């Protein structure tokens, strides 16, 4: 239980001394800005003699967690976050919700404003900060990204298991396509993969609904997604697929929000979220889809099949292009399945050319999207690139669903590109008279001997794949350029090229408050690997930023510069070889090159030019200037053989495009091999970003007279 909020404290110092505040900080990637905001808030509290405890929700999990006793005695709660934070534990408390950048740049103002913040009530949606919060990403956008991020593992696991079982245990059969013996080990593997694919659509729908309506919306969202994907429930041979899941997810979420607003007797309120709302929303949504939405879907696709049947005597190029468009539109959804079932039905009549057109179009979407992640890596996050590799593998086995995560995340760019590539592949296969004797597609059917006209089949697939990939990267690049032109600091989505949607809940952020989140995302290159544990950013009763901590710091570094030079500063990645007290460069590019040359002194750099190019590509995606006269350029590249960190100081400062407009005087450069990127660069970033928020630490770093003294100061980072 939490105590209700009393009137805001007023008056002089005696009231302020008794004030106790809580805070939660979180950015989508949970690295730099999560801890920077925590440190700034704690420091502001210390300066006012206010008791504060800060919970950080970082990539290594929640630290310094606020317990019931903390909440019950708190006078207010500051939420400085750019992702969803559970507010149910703060019912009855004054809650101020802002972006993480507000916690970094205006902590004193937040402490003042939380005193008059509205009291949070059960089921209430937190209001964004009116001052300095900026425009927030829409709820719909964040909800869609939430669903996509949870769906990806099901797509990858299901698709890869099916592909493996087909490749190792399948064979062609004119009556049944690619067949796996029913009693074989590989059939069991295939069945497990099918379960993953079956759950994929309900998961997408359920977590879209969850992001909108919270826990009560999860059940109706998942059941609604299952109904949408099961055409038998509304007499359709093809379910509504992932597009239907998106529809049911939003319907379920907003339906739950509407039901929550209903006034009910007090004795009913406790069972509303666990019984009443899920049952009412699930029943209503299920019946609505079956009787209102499902029937028209069934009617449309029955007539679409009849229309296709009437086109069999027309131009093969036209029919192939239309079938390719349909196959590529929703990747396993109703439009796709209508074209697929049409081609399958004609195999028995002896017409195998229609299935040949479909077979050439089927792999184009996953192959094209996978290829896009390879040819323009900077447009994609690390997880998206990993998904792209899985998509390429699935495409080889004719599993078009491998492209669904990309289509769901960027429908305006990906779906048109898919359709164009699919149409090209289908048209080429049609004009070449390619035939497919089994109801399946992709290179595997050609390898297993089910396709006639194999050379032209592969020509169709390769050209269609190239068209899809090139069109995708062009449209995504144009979209990003427009977004950058419209706003100085674009709040990129999890599914966008710099946002980890694909990896986190509620990846949207306020444009004003999103600035810090965007930089944090770019700093870690949207890596989804967890960082190793670091000390909590905030401690009960304002630990970690007061005089005791500074005294400990002095005690820790009493051994002198000479001794510290040989210490394992930042795990030994930063040594006197990689420290320079006077940076010669006057611009960002020259500074990065100078730092790269500094790293090369260690002998761990095998390709200096590639290291520089990788770091500059990172800068193109977004500045690594953190503000406070700090910049941390970094590169994940195999141009280095082991993790290495460099540091240089600039007396005049280098223009780095930092959010607060300051020039970078303290510049760290981190480089790690691709294989080591997951843990190491996250850990180093977390350690540095937290410590660099200490003004005294920065002053000592600027004042250090030589490399040894710099290392002595940096040895405090642990």
């Amino acid at each position: 239980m939490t105590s209700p909020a009393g009137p805001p404290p007023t008056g002089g110092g005696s009231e302020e001394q008794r004030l106790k505040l809580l805070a939660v900080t979180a950015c989508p990637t949970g690295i730099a800005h999560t801890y920077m905001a925590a440190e700034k808030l704690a420091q502001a509290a210390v300066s006012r003699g206010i008791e504060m405890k800060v919970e950080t929700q970082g990539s290594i999990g929640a630290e310094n967690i606020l317990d019931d006793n903390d909440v019950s005695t708190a006078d207010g709660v500051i939420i400085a976050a750019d992702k969803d934070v559970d507010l149910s534990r703060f019912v009855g408390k004054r809650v101020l919700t802002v972006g993480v950048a507000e916690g970094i740049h205006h902590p004193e103002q937040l402490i003042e404003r939380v005193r008059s913040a509205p009291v949070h009530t059960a089921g209430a949606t937190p209001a964004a900060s009116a001052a300095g919060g900026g425009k927030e990403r829409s709820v719909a956008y964040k909800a869609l990204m939430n669903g996509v991020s949870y769906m990806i593992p099901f797509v990858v696991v299901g698709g890869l298991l099916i592909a493996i079982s087909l490749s190792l245990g399948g064979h062609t059969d004119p009556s049944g396509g690619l067949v796996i013996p029913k009693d074989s080990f590989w059939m069991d593997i295939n069945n497990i993969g099918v379960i993953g694919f079956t759950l994929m659509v309900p998961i997408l729908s359920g977590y879209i609904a969850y992001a909108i309506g919270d826990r009560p919306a999860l059940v109706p969202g998942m059941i609604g997604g299952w109904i949408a994907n099961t055409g038998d429930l509304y007499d359709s041979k093809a379910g509504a697929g992932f597009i239907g899941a998106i529809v049911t997810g939003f319907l379920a979420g907003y339906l739950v929000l509407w039901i929550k607003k209903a006034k009910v007797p007090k004795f009913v309120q406790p069972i509303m979220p666990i019984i009443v709302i899920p049952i009412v929303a699930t029943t209503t949504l299920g019946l609505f889809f079956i009787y209102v939405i499902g029937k028209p879907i069934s009617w449309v696709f029955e007539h679409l099949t009849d229309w296709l049947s009437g086109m069999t005597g027309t131009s093969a190029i036209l029919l192939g292009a239309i079938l390719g468009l349909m196959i590529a539109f929703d990747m396993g959804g109703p439009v796709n399945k209508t074209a697929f079932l049409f081609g399958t039905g004609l195999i028995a009549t002896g017409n195998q050319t229609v299935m040949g057109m479909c077979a050439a179009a089927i792999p184009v979407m996953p192959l094209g999207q996978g290829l896009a992640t390879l040819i323009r890596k900077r447009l994609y996050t690390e997880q998206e690139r990993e998904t792209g590799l899985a998509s390429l593998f699935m495409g080889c086995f004719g599993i078009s669903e491998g492209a669904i995560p990309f289509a769901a995340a960027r429908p305006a760019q990906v779906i048109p590109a898919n359709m164009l590539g699919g149409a090209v592949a289908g048209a080429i296969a049609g004009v070449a008279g390619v035939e497919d004797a089994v109801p399946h597609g992709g290179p595997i059917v050609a390898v297993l001997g089910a396709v006639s006209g194999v050379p032209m089949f592969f020509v169709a697939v390769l050209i269609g794949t190239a068209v899809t990939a090139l069109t995708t990267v062009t449209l995504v690049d144009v979209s990003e350029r427009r977004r950058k032109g419209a706003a100085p600091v674009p709040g990129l989505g999890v599914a966008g090229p710099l946002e980890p949607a694909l990896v986190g809940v509620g990846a949207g952020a306020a444009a004003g408050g999103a600035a810090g989140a965007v930089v944090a995302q770019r700093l870690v290159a949207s890596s989804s690997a967890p960082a190793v544990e670091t000390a909590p950013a905030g401690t009960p009763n304002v630990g970690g930023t007061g005089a005791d901590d500074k005294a400990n710091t002095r005690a820790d570094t009493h051994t002198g510069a000479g001794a510290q030079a040989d210490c394992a500063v930042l795990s030994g990645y930063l040594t006197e070889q990689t420290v320079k007290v006077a940076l010669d460069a006057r611009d960002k590019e020259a500074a990065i090159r100078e730092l790269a040359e500094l790293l090369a002194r260690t002998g761990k750099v095998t390709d200096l030019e590639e290291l520089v190019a990788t770091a500059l590509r990172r800068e193109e995606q977004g500045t690594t200037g953190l503000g406070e006269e700090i910049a941390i350029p970094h590169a994940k590249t195999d141009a280095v053989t082991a993790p290495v960190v460099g540091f240089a100081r600039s007396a005049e400062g280098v223009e780095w495009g930092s959010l607060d407009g300051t020039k970078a005087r303290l510049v760290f450069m981190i480089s790690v091999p691709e294989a080591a990127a997951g843990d190491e660069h996250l850990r180093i970033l977390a350690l540095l970003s937290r410590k660099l928020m200490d003004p005294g630490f920065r002053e000592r770093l600027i004042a250090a007279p030589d490399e040894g003294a710099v290392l002595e100061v940096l040895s405090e980072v642990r």
Side-chain angles (χ1 to χ4, degrees), residues 298-327:
S298 177
W299 182 87
V300 166
F301 292 111
E302 284 178 5
H303 286 75
L304 188 58
T305 301
D306 294 338
W307 176 69
L308 287 174
S309 298
M311 292 191 64
T312 52
T314 61
S315 165
I317 296 178
L318 178 61
L319 180 59
I322 292 173
L323 289 172
L325 287 170
M326 294 176 65
I327 288 289

Short mmCIF file of all heavy atoms in Angstrom, two decimals, residues 298-327:
data_model
loop_
_atom_site.label_atom_id
_atom_site.label_comp_id
_atom_site.label_asym_id
_atom_site.label_seq_id
_atom_site.Cartn_x
_atom_site.Cartn_y
_atom_site.Cartn_z
N SER A 298 -13.39 -12.94 -46.09
CA SER A 298 -13.64 -14.20 -46.80
C SER A 298 -14.24 -13.94 -48.18
O SER A 298 -13.83 -14.54 -49.18
CB SER A 298 -14.58 -15.07 -45.96
OG SER A 298 -14.90 -16.26 -46.65
N TRP A 299 -15.23 -13.04 -48.23
CA TRP A 299 -15.90 -12.74 -49.51
C TRP A 299 -14.92 -12.15 -50.52
O TRP A 299 -14.90 -12.53 -51.69
CB TRP A 299 -17.04 -11.76 -49.26
CG TRP A 299 -17.83 -11.42 -50.49
CD1 TRP A 299 -18.90 -12.09 -51.01
CD2 TRP A 299 -17.58 -10.31 -51.38
NE1 TRP A 299 -19.34 -11.47 -52.15
CE2 TRP A 299 -18.54 -10.38 -52.41
CE3 TRP A 299 -16.66 -9.28 -51.40
CZ2 TRP A 299 -18.60 -9.45 -53.43
CZ3 TRP A 299 -16.70 -8.35 -52.43
CH2 TRP A 299 -17.67 -8.44 -53.42
N VAL A 300 -14.08 -11.21 -50.06
CA VAL A 300 -13.13 -10.54 -50.96
C VAL A 300 -12.17 -11.54 -51.58
O VAL A 300 -11.94 -11.52 -52.79
CB VAL A 300 -12.36 -9.44 -50.20
CG1 VAL A 300 -11.14 -8.97 -51.00
CG2 VAL A 300 -13.26 -8.26 -49.90
N PHE A 301 -11.64 -12.44 -50.77
CA PHE A 301 -10.61 -13.32 -51.29
C PHE A 301 -11.17 -14.49 -52.09
O PHE A 301 -10.48 -15.05 -52.93
CB PHE A 301 -9.69 -13.77 -50.16
CG PHE A 301 -8.87 -12.62 -49.63
CD1 PHE A 301 -9.10 -12.11 -48.37
CD2 PHE A 301 -7.92 -12.02 -50.43
CE1 PHE A 301 -8.38 -11.03 -47.90
CE2 PHE A 301 -7.19 -10.95 -49.97
CZ PHE A 301 -7.42 -10.44 -48.70
N GLU A 302 -12.43 -14.83 -51.87
CA GLU A 302 -13.07 -15.80 -52.75
C GLU A 302 -13.23 -15.22 -54.15
O GLU A 302 -12.96 -15.89 -55.16
CB GLU A 302 -14.44 -16.19 -52.19
CG GLU A 302 -14.37 -17.15 -51.01
CD GLU A 302 -15.75 -17.47 -50.47
OE1 GLU A 302 -16.75 -17.00 -51.08
OE2 GLU A 302 -15.84 -18.16 -49.44
N HIS A 303 -13.66 -13.98 -54.22
CA HIS A 303 -13.83 -13.34 -55.52
C HIS A 303 -12.48 -13.01 -56.17
O HIS A 303 -12.38 -12.98 -57.40
CB HIS A 303 -14.67 -12.07 -55.38
CG HIS A 303 -16.13 -12.35 -55.16
ND1 HIS A 303 -16.64 -12.81 -53.97
CD2 HIS A 303 -17.19 -12.27 -56.01
CE1 HIS A 303 -17.94 -12.98 -54.07
NE2 HIS A 303 -18.31 -12.67 -55.31
N LEU A 304 -11.47 -12.77 -55.35
CA LEU A 304 -10.14 -12.53 -55.90
C LEU A 304 -9.61 -13.78 -56.59
O LEU A 304 -8.99 -13.71 -57.66
CB LEU A 304 -9.19 -12.10 -54.77
CG LEU A 304 -7.79 -11.62 -55.18
CD1 LEU A 304 -7.87 -10.44 -56.13
CD2 LEU A 304 -6.98 -11.26 -53.94
N THR A 305 -9.89 -14.94 -56.01
CA THR A 305 -9.49 -16.21 -56.63
C THR A 305 -10.19 -16.39 -57.97
O THR A 305 -9.58 -16.81 -58.96
CB THR A 305 -9.81 -17.38 -55.70
OG1 THR A 305 -9.12 -17.20 -54.46
CG2 THR A 305 -9.37 -18.70 -56.31
N ASP A 306 -11.49 -16.07 -58.00
CA ASP A 306 -12.24 -16.18 -59.26
C ASP A 306 -11.66 -15.23 -60.32
O ASP A 306 -11.56 -15.59 -61.50
CB ASP A 306 -13.72 -15.85 -59.03
CG ASP A 306 -14.39 -16.88 -58.13
OD1 ASP A 306 -13.88 -18.02 -58.04
OD2 ASP A 306 -15.42 -16.55 -57.51
N TRP A 307 -11.26 -14.04 -59.89
CA TRP A 307 -10.69 -13.08 -60.83
C TRP A 307 -9.37 -13.59 -61.40
O TRP A 307 -9.11 -13.46 -62.59
CB TRP A 307 -10.49 -11.75 -60.10
CG TRP A 307 -9.83 -10.69 -60.94
CD1 TRP A 307 -10.34 -10.04 -62.01
CD2 TRP A 307 -8.50 -10.18 -60.76
NE1 TRP A 307 -9.43 -9.14 -62.51
CE2 TRP A 307 -8.29 -9.21 -61.76
CE3 TRP A 307 -7.48 -10.44 -59.84
CZ2 TRP A 307 -7.10 -8.50 -61.87
CZ3 TRP A 307 -6.30 -9.72 -59.95
CH2 TRP A 307 -6.12 -8.77 -60.96
N LEU A 308 -8.55 -14.17 -60.53
CA LEU A 308 -7.29 -14.74 -61.02
C LEU A 308 -7.53 -15.87 -62.00
O LEU A 308 -6.80 -16.02 -62.99
CB LEU A 308 -6.46 -15.24 -59.84
CG LEU A 308 -5.80 -14.17 -58.95
CD1 LEU A 308 -5.15 -14.83 -57.74
CD2 LEU A 308 -4.77 -13.37 -59.74
N SER A 309 -8.55 -16.67 -61.74
CA SER A 309 -8.86 -17.79 -62.66
C SER A 309 -9.20 -17.27 -64.05
O SER A 309 -8.88 -17.91 -65.06
CB SER A 309 -10.03 -18.60 -62.10
OG SER A 309 -9.70 -19.16 -60.85
N GLY A 310 -9.81 -16.12 -64.11
CA GLY A 310 -10.17 -15.55 -65.40
C GLY A 310 -9.00 -14.95 -66.14
O GLY A 310 -9.13 -14.57 -67.31
N MET A 311 -7.84 -14.86 -65.50
CA MET A 311 -6.67 -14.25 -66.12
C MET A 311 -5.69 -15.27 -66.67
O MET A 311 -4.65 -14.89 -67.23
CB MET A 311 -5.93 -13.37 -65.10
CG MET A 311 -6.69 -12.13 -64.67
SD MET A 311 -5.62 -11.01 -63.75
CE MET A 311 -4.41 -10.58 -65.00
N THR A 312 -5.99 -16.56 -66.51
CA THR A 312 -5.00 -17.57 -66.91
C THR A 312 -4.72 -17.56 -68.41
O THR A 312 -3.67 -18.04 -68.83
CB THR A 312 -5.48 -18.97 -66.50
OG1 THR A 312 -6.81 -19.18 -66.98
CG2 THR A 312 -5.45 -19.11 -64.98
N GLY A 313 -5.57 -17.00 -69.19
CA GLY A 313 -5.31 -16.96 -70.63
C GLY A 313 -4.68 -15.67 -71.08
O GLY A 313 -4.42 -15.49 -72.27
N THR A 314 -4.43 -14.76 -70.16
CA THR A 314 -3.85 -13.47 -70.54
C THR A 314 -2.34 -13.56 -70.60
O THR A 314 -1.75 -14.62 -70.47
CB THR A 314 -4.26 -12.39 -69.53
OG1 THR A 314 -3.76 -12.74 -68.24
CG2 THR A 314 -5.77 -12.26 -69.44
N SER A 315 -1.70 -12.39 -70.77
CA SER A 315 -0.24 -12.32 -70.88
C SER A 315 0.43 -12.93 -69.66
O SER A 315 0.06 -12.65 -68.52
CB SER A 315 0.18 -10.86 -71.04
OG SER A 315 1.55 -10.72 -70.82
N ALA A 316 1.45 -13.75 -69.91
CA ALA A 316 2.18 -14.38 -68.82
C ALA A 316 2.93 -13.33 -68.00
O ALA A 316 3.06 -13.46 -66.77
CB ALA A 316 3.17 -15.41 -69.38
N ILE A 317 3.41 -12.27 -68.66
CA ILE A 317 4.12 -11.21 -67.93
C ILE A 317 3.17 -10.52 -66.96
O ILE A 317 3.50 -10.29 -65.79
CB ILE A 317 4.72 -10.18 -68.91
CG1 ILE A 317 5.78 -10.84 -69.80
CG2 ILE A 317 5.31 -9.00 -68.15
CD1 ILE A 317 6.38 -9.89 -70.82
N LEU A 318 1.97 -10.18 -67.43
CA LEU A 318 0.99 -9.50 -66.59
C LEU A 318 0.55 -10.38 -65.42
O LEU A 318 0.51 -9.92 -64.27
CB LEU A 318 -0.22 -9.09 -67.42
CG LEU A 318 -1.36 -8.40 -66.65
CD1 LEU A 318 -0.86 -7.11 -66.00
CD2 LEU A 318 -2.54 -8.12 -67.59
N LEU A 319 0.25 -11.64 -65.71
CA LEU A 319 -0.19 -12.54 -64.65
C LEU A 319 0.94 -12.76 -63.64
O LEU A 319 0.70 -12.76 -62.42
CB LEU A 319 -0.63 -13.88 -65.24
CG LEU A 319 -1.13 -14.93 -64.22
CD1 LEU A 319 -2.32 -14.40 -63.43
CD2 LEU A 319 -1.48 -16.23 -64.94
N GLY A 320 2.16 -12.94 -64.12
CA GLY A 320 3.29 -13.13 -63.21
C GLY A 320 3.52 -11.92 -62.33
O GLY A 320 3.80 -12.06 -61.12
N ALA A 321 3.38 -10.72 -62.90
CA ALA A 321 3.57 -9.50 -62.12
C ALA A 321 2.48 -9.38 -61.04
O ALA A 321 2.77 -9.02 -59.89
CB ALA A 321 3.55 -8.28 -63.03
N ILE A 322 1.24 -9.69 -61.40
CA ILE A 322 0.14 -9.60 -60.43
C ILE A 322 0.33 -10.61 -59.31
O ILE A 322 0.17 -10.30 -58.12
CB ILE A 322 -1.21 -9.80 -61.13
CG1 ILE A 322 -1.50 -8.61 -62.06
CG2 ILE A 322 -2.34 -9.98 -60.11
CD1 ILE A 322 -2.73 -8.79 -62.93
N LEU A 323 0.68 -11.84 -59.68
CA LEU A 323 0.91 -12.86 -58.65
C LEU A 323 2.09 -12.48 -57.76
O LEU A 323 2.06 -12.69 -56.54
CB LEU A 323 1.16 -14.22 -59.31
CG LEU A 323 -0.06 -14.87 -59.97
CD1 LEU A 323 0.35 -16.11 -60.76
CD2 LEU A 323 -1.11 -15.24 -58.93
N GLY A 324 3.14 -11.93 -58.36
CA GLY A 324 4.29 -11.49 -57.57
C GLY A 324 3.92 -10.38 -56.60
O GLY A 324 4.36 -10.37 -55.44
N LEU A 325 3.10 -9.44 -57.06
CA LEU A 325 2.63 -8.37 -56.17
C LEU A 325 1.85 -8.94 -54.99
O LEU A 325 2.03 -8.52 -53.84
CB LEU A 325 1.74 -7.40 -56.95
CG LEU A 325 2.42 -6.44 -57.93
CD1 LEU A 325 1.37 -5.73 -58.78
CD2 LEU A 325 3.25 -5.41 -57.18
N MET A 326 0.98 -9.90 -55.27
CA MET A 326 0.15 -10.49 -54.22
C MET A 326 0.99 -11.31 -53.23
O MET A 326 0.80 -11.23 -52.02
CB MET A 326 -0.94 -11.35 -54.84
CG MET A 326 -1.96 -10.56 -55.65
SD MET A 326 -3.17 -11.63 -56.48
CE MET A 326 -4.02 -12.33 -55.07
N ILE A 327 1.92 -12.09 -53.77
CA ILE A 327 2.78 -12.90 -52.91
C ILE A 327 3.57 -12.01 -51.96
O ILE A 327 3.76 -12.33 -50.78
CB ILE A 327 3.75 -13.74 -53.77
CG1 ILE A 327 3.00 -14.88 -54.49
CG2 ILE A 327 4.89 -14.30 -52.93
CD1 ILE A 327 2.52 -16.00 -53.59
#
